[in-house]
Amino acid sequence: MEVKEMVNHPSHYNQNGIECFDVIKAAIGEDGFKNFCEGNSIKYLFRARHKGSYLQDVKKAKFYLEQIIEMHKEA
């Protein structure tokens, strides 16, 4: 599977056309979602050098940071 698919919209996070990402966002609200994205960015950067998929984990961290940036554009 292409790295981009594994970063932005992995198929295993989509069930019946609903992304887990969207469910989490709806369930925990905007502030909770921002915290979730910050935490995931830290997680992916923290483990990037130790897991064996450095570039993929750095791209995942970037994905979550971009979500925060987009939230601030909408505000």
Side-chain angles (χ1 to χ4, degrees):
M1 183 174 272
E2 183 183 326
V3 172
K4 185 173 183 175
E5 288 179 20
M6 292 300 294
V7 172
N8 294 322
H9 301 285
S11 61
H12 57 277
Y13 283 118
N14 188 311
Q15 302 298 319
N16 300 316
I18 302 170
E19 284 203 48
C20 181
F21 190 73
D22 294 327
V23 172
I24 293 169
K25 191 173 186 177
I28 63 178
E30 189 170 314
D31 287 339
F33 187 68
K34 180 183 172 195
N35 294 336
F36 169 78
C37 290
E38 289 172 353
N40 273 336
S41 294
I42 294 166
K43 172 185 75 176
Y44 283 116
L45 289 173
F46 187 81
R47 72 183 201 175
R49 293 187 187 268
H50 308 285
K51 190 177 163 235
S53 56
Y54 178 79
L55 184 58
Q56 181 174 313
D57 278 355
V58 169
K59 286 182 176 184
K60 286 180 178 182
K62 178 184 173 201
F63 172 82
Y64 282 103
L65 291 172
E66 288 173 345
Q67 302 311 305
I68 296 168
I69 292 166
E70 286 302 312
M71 288 175 64
H72 285 279
K73 284 182 181 178
E74 296 171 4

